[in-house]
Amino acid sequence: QVQLAESGGGLVQAGDSLRLSCAASGRTFRGYTTGWFRRAPGKEREFVAAITWGGDYTYFADSVKGRFTISRDNAKNTVYLQMNSLKPGDTAVYYCAATFGSATSMTGYDYWGQGTQVTVSS
């Protein structure tokens, strides 16, 4: 089992930045692609971004391209989501997840964190 724990959420104003962290523990995290997803109030969970184990490939939803970046520090078993120019529409619970499968397919993710709330006020 891989345990994932998100942190870094909070209440910010539109235009501000936040950095979310996803820390892994338990069995080895090696080889996993890590993704970030979010669920806004009244909406389905959606893909936000993902990064492969080596960091050589990254993927982003169109809604966050140019504003969000994703990175990882494998020595620390941690993946980061840097969110800039935040908008009220980014308000959601953000989850990180790990997979050996497709980076953008939610159904392929085997392990999920509990989520962290991000609220962006206008």
Side-chain angles (χ1 to χ4, degrees):
Q1 283 280 62
V2 174
Q3 287 83 43
L4 302 174
E6 303 92 340
S7 62
L11 171 63
V12 296
Q13 293 186 330
D16 285 351
S17 298
L18 272 179
R19 188 176 79 159
L20 304 184
S21 298
C22 172
S25 61
R27 62 168 287 182
T28 180
F29 197 38
R30 183 174 185 81
Y32 282 95
T33 288
T34 304
W36 286 94
F37 296 81
R38 67 186 182 187
R39 176 177 284 160
K43 295 186 178 181
E44 297 288 320
R45 190 178 297 189
E46 64 176 2
F47 170 78
V48 175
I51 185 168
T52 53
W53 166 254
D56 42 350
Y57 293 99
T58 58
Y59 307 85
F60 296 93
D62 288 343
S63 58
V64 306
K65 278 181 183 175
R67 300 188 297 123
F68 291 12
T69 59
I70 189 170
S71 61
R72 66 190 306 153
D73 183 341
N74 289 334
K76 296 181 178 179
N77 284 338
T78 302
V79 173
Y80 305 98
L81 182 68
Q82 178 67 43
M83 306 186 295
N84 299 326
S85 302
L86 282 162
K87 304 174 181 179
D90 296 316
T91 295
V93 177
Y94 283 72
Y95 302 87
C96 67
T99 182
F100 274 133
S102 169
T104 58
S105 173
M106 196 181 325
T107 57
Y109 279 79
D110 300 303
Y111 303 105
W112 291 82
Q114 293 299 306
T116 185
Q117 176 70 47
V118 172
T119 303
V120 184
S121 64
S122 57

